[in-house]
């Protein structure tokens, strides 16, 4: 599943509202955590999720083969 806000609408609280809805739904379902993925170079997303209380746990390394 992906949650994406179109670029022209970024910064309007839409992403935050979506994540709050996801968090509320997860709590109602009795879940104890939410885990998500984003790219290491996506500093905007990483900052956004950190502001929402997400903590970075893992580092994934990839070597491209030619």
């Amino acid at each position: 599943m992906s949650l994406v806000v179109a670029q022209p609408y970024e910064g309007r609280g839409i992403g935050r509202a979506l994540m709050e809805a996801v968090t509320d739904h997860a709590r109602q379902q009795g879940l104890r955590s939410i885990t998500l993925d984003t790219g290491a170079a996506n500093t905007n997303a990483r900052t956004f999720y950190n502001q929402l209380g997400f903590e970075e746990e893992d580092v994934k390394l990839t070597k491209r083969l030619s």
Side-chain angles (χ1 to χ4, degrees):
M1 169 191 251
S2 296
L3 292 176
V4 179
V5 175
Q7 191 172 7
Y9 300 98
E10 290 179 0
R12 297 182 185 190
I14 297 168
R16 183 173 301 276
L18 287 170
M19 292 307 298
E20 287 174 2
V22 167
T23 300
D24 290 344
H25 180 72
R27 281 192 186 111
Q28 291 171 6
Q29 299 303 307
L31 299 178
R32 297 179 60 171
S33 65
I34 298 171
T35 301
L36 56 83
D37 295 315
T38 190
N42 192 343
T43 56
N44 288 342
R46 292 171 64 195
T47 298
F48 172 71
Y49 293 127
N50 184 266
Q51 290 171 349
L52 295 178
F54 287 82
E55 298 176 3
E56 294 187 16
E57 292 183 334
D58 298 319
V59 174
K60 181 171 114 178
L61 303 170
T62 302
K63 179 177 181 176
R64 304 281 181 220
L65 304 176
S66 53

